[in-house]
Amino acid sequence: MAHTKSALKRARQNVRRRADNRSGRSVIKTMTERLDKVVAGKDAAAVAKELSNLHSALDKAAKHGVITRNTAVRRKARANARVAKAKVAA
């Protein structure tokens, strides 16, 4: 356990940041699952909306450092590929 005041503060900050990062990653996973479910339903309007929401969430996560920018770009590309493969015009 930390002993100095600064080390105690860093420990508190790390707990808070870890919680924020877990939350951000959870949101991304949930939105990815929603997109996959909507793609299976073949509703073009819903697919476009969910794809947009996923892109937004990935960009925000990358902006706040939850994931790296390259990871966000890769996940957006793979989501776009899944939508294109399902032949759902978004």
Side-chain angles (χ1 to χ4, degrees), residues 49-76:
K49 182 175 183 244
E50 289 299 329
L51 189 61
S52 176
N53 289 343
L54 177 60
H55 283 202
S56 177
L58 287 167
D59 288 337
K60 286 178 185 175
K63 176 181 168 187
H64 294 293
V66 175
I67 59 176
T68 64
R69 190 180 53 167
N70 285 346
T71 300
V73 170
R74 183 181 67 243
R75 290 185 183 185
K76 288 195 303 188

PDB file of all heavy atoms in Angstrom, residues 49-76:
ATOM      1  N   LYS A  49     -28.132   3.962 -38.067  1.00  0.00           N
ATOM      2  CA  LYS A  49     -28.136   4.642 -36.766  1.00  0.00           C
ATOM      3  C   LYS A  49     -27.153   3.991 -35.800  1.00  0.00           C
ATOM      4  O   LYS A  49     -26.357   4.676 -35.145  1.00  0.00           O
ATOM      5  CB  LYS A  49     -29.546   4.613 -36.173  1.00  0.00           C
ATOM      6  CG  LYS A  49     -29.660   5.335 -34.857  1.00  0.00           C
ATOM      7  CD  LYS A  49     -31.100   5.372 -34.372  1.00  0.00           C
ATOM      8  CE  LYS A  49     -31.179   6.157 -33.088  1.00  0.00           C
ATOM      9  NZ  LYS A  49     -31.581   5.403 -31.950  1.00  0.00           N
ATOM     10  N   GLU A  50     -27.187   2.665 -35.708  1.00  0.00           N
ATOM     11  CA  GLU A  50     -26.292   1.960 -34.791  1.00  0.00           C
ATOM     12  C   GLU A  50     -24.822   2.090 -35.220  1.00  0.00           C
ATOM     13  O   GLU A  50     -23.935   2.205 -34.380  1.00  0.00           O
ATOM     14  CB  GLU A  50     -26.674   0.484 -34.677  1.00  0.00           C
ATOM     15  CG  GLU A  50     -27.965   0.243 -33.932  1.00  0.00           C
ATOM     16  CD  GLU A  50     -27.942   0.727 -32.494  1.00  0.00           C
ATOM     17  OE1 GLU A  50     -26.871   0.720 -31.855  1.00  0.00           O
ATOM     18  OE2 GLU A  50     -29.004   1.141 -32.010  1.00  0.00           O
ATOM     19  N   LEU A  51     -24.586   2.081 -36.527  1.00  0.00           N
ATOM     20  CA  LEU A  51     -23.221   2.248 -37.021  1.00  0.00           C
ATOM     21  C   LEU A  51     -22.698   3.632 -36.660  1.00  0.00           C
ATOM     22  O   LEU A  51     -21.558   3.786 -36.209  1.00  0.00           O
ATOM     23  CB  LEU A  51     -23.167   2.031 -38.536  1.00  0.00           C
ATOM     24  CG  LEU A  51     -21.792   1.967 -39.178  1.00  0.00           C
ATOM     25  CD1 LEU A  51     -20.992   0.806 -38.609  1.00  0.00           C
ATOM     26  CD2 LEU A  51     -21.910   1.841 -40.682  1.00  0.00           C
ATOM     27  N   SER A  52     -23.537   4.633 -36.808  1.00  0.00           N
ATOM     28  CA  SER A  52     -23.164   5.989 -36.445  1.00  0.00           C
ATOM     29  C   SER A  52     -22.879   6.100 -34.949  1.00  0.00           C
ATOM     30  O   SER A  52     -21.903   6.737 -34.526  1.00  0.00           O
ATOM     31  CB  SER A  52     -24.267   6.959 -36.844  1.00  0.00           C
ATOM     32  OG  SER A  52     -23.971   8.256 -36.412  1.00  0.00           O
ATOM     33  N   ASN A  53     -23.722   5.479 -34.135  1.00  0.00           N
ATOM     34  CA  ASN A  53     -23.522   5.491 -32.684  1.00  0.00           C
ATOM     35  C   ASN A  53     -22.207   4.814 -32.303  1.00  0.00           C
ATOM     36  O   ASN A  53     -21.485   5.293 -31.431  1.00  0.00           O
ATOM     37  CB  ASN A  53     -24.688   4.800 -31.974  1.00  0.00           C
ATOM     38  CG  ASN A  53     -25.958   5.607 -32.020  1.00  0.00           C
ATOM     39  OD1 ASN A  53     -25.942   6.805 -32.299  1.00  0.00           O
ATOM     40  ND2 ASN A  53     -27.079   4.960 -31.753  1.00  0.00           N
ATOM     41  N   LEU A  54     -21.915   3.688 -32.953  1.00  0.00           N
ATOM     42  CA  LEU A  54     -20.672   2.973 -32.670  1.00  0.00           C
ATOM     43  C   LEU A  54     -19.464   3.820 -33.055  1.00  0.00           C
ATOM     44  O   LEU A  54     -18.504   3.928 -32.286  1.00  0.00           O
ATOM     45  CB  LEU A  54     -20.633   1.629 -33.406  1.00  0.00           C
ATOM     46  CG  LEU A  54     -19.347   0.825 -33.246  1.00  0.00           C
ATOM     47  CD1 LEU A  54     -19.092   0.487 -31.777  1.00  0.00           C
ATOM     48  CD2 LEU A  54     -19.393  -0.434 -34.081  1.00  0.00           C
ATOM     49  N   HIS A  55     -19.511   4.440 -34.226  1.00  0.00           N
ATOM     50  CA  HIS A  55     -18.406   5.291 -34.659  1.00  0.00           C
ATOM     51  C   HIS A  55     -18.184   6.433 -33.667  1.00  0.00           C
ATOM     52  O   HIS A  55     -17.045   6.754 -33.317  1.00  0.00           O
ATOM     53  CB  HIS A  55     -18.684   5.847 -36.045  1.00  0.00           C
ATOM     54  CG  HIS A  55     -18.458   4.867 -37.138  1.00  0.00           C
ATOM     55  ND1 HIS A  55     -18.226   5.240 -38.438  1.00  0.00           N
ATOM     56  CD2 HIS A  55     -18.430   3.517 -37.153  1.00  0.00           C
ATOM     57  CE1 HIS A  55     -18.066   4.182 -39.190  1.00  0.00           C
ATOM     58  NE2 HIS A  55     -18.186   3.115 -38.428  1.00  0.00           N
ATOM     59  N   SER A  56     -19.266   7.024 -33.217  1.00  0.00           N
ATOM     60  CA  SER A  56     -19.172   8.120 -32.259  1.00  0.00           C
ATOM     61  C   SER A  56     -18.545   7.651 -30.942  1.00  0.00           C
ATOM     62  O   SER A  56     -17.661   8.316 -30.387  1.00  0.00           O
ATOM     63  CB  SER A  56     -20.563   8.699 -32.002  1.00  0.00           C
ATOM     64  OG  SER A  56     -20.508   9.714 -31.043  1.00  0.00           O
ATOM     65  N   ALA A  57     -18.996   6.518 -30.454  1.00  0.00           N
ATOM     66  CA  ALA A  57     -18.470   5.984 -29.195  1.00  0.00           C
ATOM     67  C   ALA A  57     -16.983   5.651 -29.326  1.00  0.00           C
ATOM     68  O   ALA A  57     -16.197   5.918 -28.405  1.00  0.00           O
ATOM     69  CB  ALA A  57     -19.251   4.747 -28.776  1.00  0.00           C
ATOM     70  N   LEU A  58     -16.587   5.082 -30.461  1.00  0.00           N
ATOM     71  CA  LEU A  58     -15.176   4.749 -30.675  1.00  0.00           C
ATOM     72  C   LEU A  58     -14.319   6.011 -30.734  1.00  0.00           C
ATOM     73  O   LEU A  58     -13.234   6.069 -30.156  1.00  0.00           O
ATOM     74  CB  LEU A  58     -15.010   3.931 -31.954  1.00  0.00           C
ATOM     75  CG  LEU A  58     -15.487   2.481 -31.866  1.00  0.00           C
ATOM     76  CD1 LEU A  58     -15.583   1.871 -33.251  1.00  0.00           C
ATOM     77  CD2 LEU A  58     -14.575   1.667 -30.973  1.00  0.00           C
ATOM     78  N   ASP A  59     -14.822   7.029 -31.428  1.00  0.00           N
ATOM     79  CA  ASP A  59     -14.075   8.287 -31.518  1.00  0.00           C
ATOM     80  C   ASP A  59     -13.923   8.936 -30.146  1.00  0.00           C
ATOM     81  O   ASP A  59     -12.859   9.450 -29.797  1.00  0.00           O
ATOM     82  CB  ASP A  59     -14.755   9.246 -32.486  1.00  0.00           C
ATOM     83  CG  ASP A  59     -14.611   8.818 -33.937  1.00  0.00           C
ATOM     84  OD1 ASP A  59     -13.662   8.075 -34.248  1.00  0.00           O
ATOM     85  OD2 ASP A  59     -15.456   9.219 -34.761  1.00  0.00           O
ATOM     86  N   LYS A  60     -14.991   8.916 -29.357  1.00  0.00           N
ATOM     87  CA  LYS A  60     -14.928   9.503 -28.016  1.00  0.00           C
ATOM     88  C   LYS A  60     -13.966   8.730 -27.127  1.00  0.00           C
ATOM     89  O   LYS A  60     -13.200   9.323 -26.355  1.00  0.00           O
ATOM     90  CB  LYS A  60     -16.314   9.529 -27.378  1.00  0.00           C
ATOM     91  CG  LYS A  60     -17.222  10.584 -27.953  1.00  0.00           C
ATOM     92  CD  LYS A  60     -18.594  10.542 -27.322  1.00  0.00           C
ATOM     93  CE  LYS A  60     -19.521  11.535 -27.998  1.00  0.00           C
ATOM     94  NZ  LYS A  60     -20.888  11.439 -27.487  1.00  0.00           N
ATOM     95  N   ALA A  61     -13.998   7.405 -27.225  1.00  0.00           N
ATOM     96  CA  ALA A  61     -13.097   6.583 -26.411  1.00  0.00           C
ATOM     97  C   ALA A  61     -11.643   6.861 -26.784  1.00  0.00           C
ATOM     98  O   ALA A  61     -10.773   6.960 -25.912  1.00  0.00           O
ATOM     99  CB  ALA A  61     -13.419   5.109 -26.589  1.00  0.00           C
ATOM    100  N   ALA A  62     -11.375   7.011 -28.080  1.00  0.00           N
ATOM    101  CA  ALA A  62     -10.014   7.305 -28.520  1.00  0.00           C
ATOM    102  C   ALA A  62      -9.606   8.704 -28.062  1.00  0.00           C
ATOM    103  O   ALA A  62      -8.464   8.924 -27.622  1.00  0.00           O
ATOM    104  CB  ALA A  62      -9.921   7.192 -30.037  1.00  0.00           C
ATOM    105  N   LYS A  63     -10.526   9.633 -28.111  1.00  0.00           N
ATOM    106  CA  LYS A  63     -10.241  11.007 -27.697  1.00  0.00           C
ATOM    107  C   LYS A  63      -9.869  11.076 -26.217  1.00  0.00           C
ATOM    108  O   LYS A  63      -8.978  11.825 -25.819  1.00  0.00           O
ATOM    109  CB  LYS A  63     -11.467  11.878 -27.971  1.00  0.00           C
ATOM    110  CG  LYS A  63     -11.361  13.302 -27.519  1.00  0.00           C
ATOM    111  CD  LYS A  63     -12.656  14.038 -27.827  1.00  0.00           C
ATOM    112  CE  LYS A  63     -12.710  15.371 -27.138  1.00  0.00           C
ATOM    113  NZ  LYS A  63     -14.024  16.003 -27.303  1.00  0.00           N
ATOM    114  N   HIS A  64     -10.536  10.271 -25.398  1.00  0.00           N
ATOM    115  CA  HIS A  64     -10.304  10.297 -23.961  1.00  0.00           C
ATOM    116  C   HIS A  64      -9.237   9.301 -23.505  1.00  0.00           C
ATOM    117  O   HIS A  64      -8.993   9.170 -22.306  1.00  0.00           O
ATOM    118  CB  HIS A  64     -11.606  10.025 -23.205  1.00  0.00           C
ATOM    119  CG  HIS A  64     -12.615  11.104 -23.382  1.00  0.00           C
ATOM    120  ND1 HIS A  64     -12.449  12.379 -22.881  1.00  0.00           N
ATOM    121  CD2 HIS A  64     -13.801  11.125 -24.032  1.00  0.00           C
ATOM    122  CE1 HIS A  64     -13.495  13.124 -23.197  1.00  0.00           C
ATOM    123  NE2 HIS A  64     -14.329  12.388 -23.905  1.00  0.00           N
ATOM    124  N   GLY A  65      -8.637   8.574 -24.454  1.00  0.00           N
ATOM    125  CA  GLY A  65      -7.538   7.683 -24.107  1.00  0.00           C
ATOM    126  C   GLY A  65      -7.956   6.321 -23.589  1.00  0.00           C
ATOM    127  O   GLY A  65      -7.137   5.586 -23.057  1.00  0.00           O
ATOM    128  N   VAL A  66      -9.233   5.977 -23.730  1.00  0.00           N
ATOM    129  CA  VAL A  66      -9.693   4.653 -23.293  1.00  0.00           C
ATOM    130  C   VAL A  66      -9.103   3.584 -24.209  1.00  0.00           C
ATOM    131  O   VAL A  66      -8.666   2.530 -23.757  1.00  0.00           O
ATOM    132  CB  VAL A  66     -11.234   4.589 -23.290  1.00  0.00           C
ATOM    133  CG1 VAL A  66     -11.725   3.192 -22.967  1.00  0.00           C
ATOM    134  CG2 VAL A  66     -11.794   5.595 -22.298  1.00  0.00           C
ATOM    135  N   ILE A  67      -9.092   3.863 -25.505  1.00  0.00           N
ATOM    136  CA  ILE A  67      -8.451   3.003 -26.495  1.00  0.00           C
ATOM    137  C   ILE A  67      -7.581   3.902 -27.373  1.00  0.00           C
ATOM    138  O   ILE A  67      -7.758   5.124 -27.388  1.00  0.00           O
ATOM    139  CB  ILE A  67      -9.473   2.230 -27.376  1.00  0.00           C
ATOM    140  CG1 ILE A  67     -10.397   3.185 -28.114  1.00  0.00           C
ATOM    141  CG2 ILE A  67     -10.248   1.235 -26.545  1.00  0.00           C
ATOM    142  CD1 ILE A  67     -11.358   2.516 -29.075  1.00  0.00           C
ATOM    143  N   THR A  68      -6.657   3.305 -28.099  1.00  0.00           N
ATOM    144  CA  THR A  68      -5.809   4.114 -28.971  1.00  0.00           C
ATOM    145  C   THR A  68      -6.554   4.463 -30.249  1.00  0.00           C
ATOM    146  O   THR A  68      -7.554   3.836 -30.606  1.00  0.00           O
ATOM    147  CB  THR A  68      -4.511   3.371 -29.333  1.00  0.00           C
ATOM    148  OG1 THR A  68      -4.837   2.213 -30.091  1.00  0.00           O
ATOM    149  CG2 THR A  68      -3.732   2.991 -28.083  1.00  0.00           C
ATOM    150  N   ARG A  69      -6.052   5.468 -30.942  1.00  0.00           N
ATOM    151  CA  ARG A  69      -6.693   5.928 -32.172  1.00  0.00           C
ATOM    152  C   ARG A  69      -6.699   4.832 -33.227  1.00  0.00           C
ATOM    153  O   ARG A  69      -7.694   4.639 -33.932  1.00  0.00           O
ATOM    154  CB  ARG A  69      -5.947   7.151 -32.686  1.00  0.00           C
ATOM    155  CG  ARG A  69      -6.647   7.864 -33.814  1.00  0.00           C
ATOM    156  CD  ARG A  69      -5.850   9.047 -34.243  1.00  0.00           C
ATOM    157  NE  ARG A  69      -4.478   8.613 -34.524  1.00  0.00           N
ATOM    158  CZ  ARG A  69      -3.577   9.355 -35.153  1.00  0.00           C
ATOM    159  NH1 ARG A  69      -3.866  10.562 -35.512  1.00  0.00           N
ATOM    160  NH2 ARG A  69      -2.372   8.879 -35.379  1.00  0.00           N
ATOM    161  N   ASN A  70      -5.597   4.088 -33.328  1.00  0.00           N
ATOM    162  CA  ASN A  70      -5.529   3.018 -34.328  1.00  0.00           C
ATOM    163  C   ASN A  70      -6.545   1.918 -34.033  1.00  0.00           C
ATOM    164  O   ASN A  70      -7.140   1.337 -34.945  1.00  0.00           O
ATOM    165  CB  ASN A  70      -4.131   2.423 -34.394  1.00  0.00           C
ATOM    166  CG  ASN A  70      -3.165   3.329 -35.113  1.00  0.00           C
ATOM    167  OD1 ASN A  70      -3.578   4.275 -35.783  1.00  0.00           O
ATOM    168  ND2 ASN A  70      -1.888   3.055 -34.972  1.00  0.00           N
ATOM    169  N   THR A  71      -6.753   1.618 -32.758  1.00  0.00           N
ATOM    170  CA  THR A  71      -7.739   0.607 -32.376  1.00  0.00           C
ATOM    171  C   THR A  71      -9.131   1.071 -32.771  1.00  0.00           C
ATOM    172  O   THR A  71      -9.929   0.280 -33.279  1.00  0.00           O
ATOM    173  CB  THR A  71      -7.673   0.339 -30.862  1.00  0.00           C
ATOM    174  OG1 THR A  71      -6.367  -0.130 -30.547  1.00  0.00           O
ATOM    175  CG2 THR A  71      -8.700  -0.690 -30.441  1.00  0.00           C
ATOM    176  N   ALA A  72      -9.422   2.338 -32.555  1.00  0.00           N
ATOM    177  CA  ALA A  72     -10.730   2.880 -32.927  1.00  0.00           C
ATOM    178  C   ALA A  72     -10.934   2.776 -34.440  1.00  0.00           C
ATOM    179  O   ALA A  72     -12.004   2.347 -34.901  1.00  0.00           O
ATOM    180  CB  ALA A  72     -10.858   4.327 -32.471  1.00  0.00           C
ATOM    181  N   VAL A  73      -9.919   3.146 -35.195  1.00  0.00           N
ATOM    182  CA  VAL A  73     -10.015   3.089 -36.663  1.00  0.00           C
ATOM    183  C   VAL A  73     -10.217   1.651 -37.122  1.00  0.00           C
ATOM    184  O   VAL A  73     -11.041   1.372 -37.995  1.00  0.00           O
ATOM    185  CB  VAL A  73      -8.756   3.718 -37.303  1.00  0.00           C
ATOM    186  CG1 VAL A  73      -8.711   3.446 -38.790  1.00  0.00           C
ATOM    187  CG2 VAL A  73      -8.725   5.206 -37.033  1.00  0.00           C
ATOM    188  N   ARG A  74      -9.462   0.723 -36.523  1.00  0.00           N
ATOM    189  CA  ARG A  74      -9.573  -0.687 -36.910  1.00  0.00           C
ATOM    190  C   ARG A  74     -10.973  -1.219 -36.623  1.00  0.00           C
ATOM    191  O   ARG A  74     -11.580  -1.898 -37.444  1.00  0.00           O
ATOM    192  CB  ARG A  74      -8.526  -1.516 -36.171  1.00  0.00           C
ATOM    193  CG  ARG A  74      -8.535  -2.978 -36.579  1.00  0.00           C
ATOM    194  CD  ARG A  74      -7.500  -3.794 -35.819  1.00  0.00           C
ATOM    195  NE  ARG A  74      -7.847  -3.890 -34.404  1.00  0.00           N
ATOM    196  CZ  ARG A  74      -7.114  -3.394 -33.423  1.00  0.00           C
ATOM    197  NH1 ARG A  74      -5.992  -2.739 -33.668  1.00  0.00           N
ATOM    198  NH2 ARG A  74      -7.491  -3.537 -32.167  1.00  0.00           N
ATOM    199  N   ARG A  75     -11.509  -0.893 -35.457  1.00  0.00           N
ATOM    200  CA  ARG A  75     -12.841  -1.384 -35.104  1.00  0.00           C
ATOM    201  C   ARG A  75     -13.923  -0.770 -35.978  1.00  0.00           C
ATOM    202  O   ARG A  75     -14.903  -1.441 -36.323  1.00  0.00           O
ATOM    203  CB  ARG A  75     -13.119  -1.123 -33.630  1.00  0.00           C
ATOM    204  CG  ARG A  75     -12.268  -1.995 -32.734  1.00  0.00           C
ATOM    205  CD  ARG A  75     -12.624  -1.823 -31.292  1.00  0.00           C
ATOM    206  NE  ARG A  75     -11.746  -2.621 -30.445  1.00  0.00           N
ATOM    207  CZ  ARG A  75     -11.892  -2.730 -29.145  1.00  0.00           C
ATOM    208  NH1 ARG A  75     -12.870  -2.106 -28.526  1.00  0.00           N
ATOM    209  NH2 ARG A  75     -11.058  -3.471 -28.458  1.00  0.00           N
ATOM    210  N   LYS A  76     -13.748   0.499 -36.365  1.00  0.00           N
ATOM    211  CA  LYS A  76     -14.716   1.119 -37.273  1.00  0.00           C
ATOM    212  C   LYS A  76     -14.673   0.439 -38.639  1.00  0.00           C
ATOM    213  O   LYS A  76     -15.714   0.155 -39.240  1.00  0.00           O
ATOM    214  CB  LYS A  76     -14.438   2.614 -37.419  1.00  0.00           C
ATOM    215  CG  LYS A  76     -14.797   3.406 -36.187  1.00  0.00           C
ATOM    216  CD  LYS A  76     -14.877   4.903 -36.395  1.00  0.00           C
ATOM    217  CE  LYS A  76     -13.649   5.532 -36.916  1.00  0.00           C
ATOM    218  NZ  LYS A  76     -13.736   7.008 -36.911  1.00  0.00           N
TER     219      LYS A  76
END
